[in-house]
């Protein structure tokens, strides 16, 4: 039989539970961080399930076909809709319809959980493809600035898009990136460093 000693006699007092082995001699520590990470994963999975149900109903009402895929990426739930013929109509020209649907989905999750959601919605791989294009753009601009000198400003982007570019620029030696301006006109500037 394994005994669990938590925040009582024999507790380390560090927010760590100690597991005593069957012979009473093997001590294994299970960190509170691991427990919180598992709880966070469960919470994100629940967000994805709620979002998936909401979006399935929405697709039915709009008479769109699509396969809904749920995932967790870091600290957010990711819901993807793929496979339908007309899904580009749910994205819009520059992703504006997708952004609106994402916000509605977040609100639907919040209605059920009571907590603000940071879930990400992708339809017809638009965000995934956009991420790839922005990462390539960040790398190309960083290399151009590194080789030619000076600085180069990109077009205004959302915070999500700027993060992708900043990450791509950070992978290139000899340059840094900064965000300048005020939303919604905030943009990434790539600068050569010595």
């Amino acid at each position: 039989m394994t005994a669990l000693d938590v925040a009582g006699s024999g507790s380390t007092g560090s927010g760590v539970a100690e597991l005593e082995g069957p012979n009473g001699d093997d001590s294994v520590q299970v960190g509170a961080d691991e427990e919180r990470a598992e709880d966070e994963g469960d919470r994100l999975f629940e967000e994805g399930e709620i979002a998936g149900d909401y979006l399935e109903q929405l697709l039915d009402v709009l008479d769109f076909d699509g396969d809904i895929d749920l995932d967790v990426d870091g600290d957010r739930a990711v819901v993807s809709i793929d496979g339908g013929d007309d899904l580009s109509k749910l994205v819009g020209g520059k992703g504006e319809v997708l952004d609106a649907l994402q916000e509605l989905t977040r609100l639907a999750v919040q209605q059920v959980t009571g907590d603000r959601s940071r879930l990400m919605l992708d339809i017809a791989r638009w965000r995934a493809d956009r991420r790839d294009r922005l990462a390539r753009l960040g790398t190309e601009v960083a290399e151009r600035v590194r080789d030619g000198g000076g600085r180069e400003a990109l077009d205004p982007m959302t915070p999500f898009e700027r993060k992708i570019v900043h990450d791509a620029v950070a992978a290139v030696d000899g340059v840094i990136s900064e965000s300048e301006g005020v939303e919604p006109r905030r943009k990434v500037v790539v600068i050569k460093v010595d």
Side-chain angles (χ1 to χ4, degrees), residues 1-3 19-28:
M1 175 179 277
T2 302
L19 292 177
E20 191 175 284
N23 299 328
D25 57 351
D26 296 324
S27 179
V28 179

Side-chain angles (χ1 to χ4, degrees), residues 7 20 30 33 38 61-62 65 69 77 79 85 102 110 126 148 165 173 185 193:
E20 191 175 284
V30 178
D33 290 342
E38 187 175 308
V61 167
L62 297 174
D65 290 324
D69 183 43
V79 181
D85 294 332
Q102 176 175 277
Q110 182 177 357
W126 190 86
V165 174
D173 291 331
R185 307 283 311 150
V193 294

Side-chain angles (χ1 to χ4, degrees), residues 92-103:
K94 295 183 179 179
E96 65 277 355
V97 177
L98 174 57
D99 288 341
L101 287 173
Q102 176 175 277
E103 192 57 31

Side-chain angles (χ1 to χ4, degrees), residues 109-187:
V109 170
Q110 182 177 357
Q111 182 100 26
V112 174
T113 65
D115 296 321
R116 179 82 173 121
S117 173
R118 295 185 59 236
L119 78 81
M120 185 181 310
L121 174 62
D122 194 4
I123 299 177
R125 290 196 41 84
W126 190 86
R127 284 198 204 280
D129 292 344
R130 177 82 173 138
R131 180 188 303 243
D132 292 344
R133 286 191 307 272
L134 288 169
R136 278 194 310 275
L137 173 66
T139 301
E140 290 168 7
V141 170
E143 290 171 349
R144 189 167 52 239
V145 169
R146 178 196 62 202
D147 296 343
R151 58 187 273 143
E152 186 172 331
L154 282 67
D155 290 334
M157 298 177 188
T158 67
F160 171 76
E161 293 170 332
R162 289 193 311 271
K163 167 111 174 61
I164 295 166
V165 174
H166 285 303
D167 289 347
V169 171
V172 177
D173 291 331
V175 293
I176 60 169
S177 61
E178 299 174 347
S179 290
E180 293 181 354
V182 178
E183 297 293 353
R185 307 283 311 150
R186 199 156 167 79
K187 57 189 169 189

